[in-house]
Amino acid sequence: MTSSSEALRDSIAAMSTIRALTQRSGESALEEVAAVLQRLARSPHWRATSWRAAAPSEELLYELAVLAGAPSLYLVSDGQGLTSPPHEHGTWTVIAGVRGNEANDLYRRVPGRRVAPIDRVVVGPGESMVLAADAIHSTEVVGEGPTFHLHLYGRPLSELDGFASRVFAKHD
């Protein structure tokens, strides 16, 4: 078995646990989900996978465990220099670092579909963060080289509103 196959097998097994945990509501359930995702991100199987790392300013998205209407897991590789504008997902999100550092700037809403920064959280290897369904964040690759992070969403990305409709302008 290749490392990619083993990582995918581990991901599918973790999703069984995660889907059971998400049947409960509340922040504590998502913190437990984050712990499961952190353990998955620390697996040695991610070290030598065949998934291509993103080139500078490129984003690659690999579907690991996607099920209609259910929590879905993706492996995301962002290239050095890549940033995203402030946006929301409309569903809860858990991010866990596999390789590299992803800075997440968090925002609060201000009038006029704009946002103001409130915090910055850097998610590195083996670390995680939880975002509520109404959270607004932007991302930036920090450090040298591309990142690999596990992104778990409350439902598949294909079921979310289009990205442009979920983007906010920064407040001056």
Side-chain angles (χ1 to χ4, degrees), residues 80-100:
Q80 188 173 7
L82 187 74
T83 62
S84 72
H87 62 280
E88 64 184 349
H89 296 115
T91 186
W92 56 263
T93 306
V94 180
I95 301 167
V98 174
R99 185 183 324 149

Side-chain angles (χ1 to χ4, degrees), residues 2 5 34 49-50 62 70 74 90 93 103 131 133 164:
T2 68
S5 297
T49 68
S50 60
Y62 300 99
Y74 302 84
T93 306
L131 295 169

Side-chain angles (χ1 to χ4, degrees), residues 108-166:
R108 65 175 173 80
R109 296 170 195 268
V110 296
R113 193 149 175 82
R114 298 182 331 171
V115 294
I118 55 173
D119 198 8
R120 176 172 260 219
V121 177
V122 177
V123 179
E127 300 172 337
S128 67
M129 73 177 295
V130 175
L131 295 169
D134 62 349
I136 300 168
H137 78 131
S138 63
T139 62
E140 175 186 6
V141 174
V142 293
E144 299 295 318
T147 66
F148 275 102
H149 282 68
L150 297 171
H151 286 227
L152 175 70
Y153 300 95
R155 55 186 206 273
L157 292 175
S158 62
E159 295 179 11
L160 303 183
D161 291 339
F163 186 75
S165 70
R166 298 183 283 117

Side-chain angles (χ1 to χ4, degrees), residues 31-116:
E31 291 299 332
E32 289 180 59
V33 167
V36 172
L37 212 57
Q38 280 180 310
R39 284 192 298 277
L40 178 60
R42 291 182 185 128
S43 168
H45 298 136
W46 296 110
R47 292 194 190 114
T49 68
S50 60
W51 286 296
R52 183 173 73 81
S57 299
E58 177 185 36
E59 180 176 66
L60 299 173
L61 180 73
Y62 300 99
E63 294 183 351
L64 299 179
V66 177
L67 185 63
S72 295
L73 181 63
Y74 302 84
L75 177 64
V76 178
S77 180
D78 288 337
Q80 188 173 7
L82 187 74
T83 62
S84 72
H87 62 280
E88 64 184 349
H89 296 115
T91 186
W92 56 263
T93 306
V94 180
I95 301 167
V98 174
R99 185 183 324 149
N101 294 303
E102 176 186 278
N104 287 264
D105 291 321
L106 305 175
Y107 300 88
R108 65 175 173 80
R109 296 170 195 268
V110 296
R113 193 149 175 82
R114 298 182 331 171
V115 294

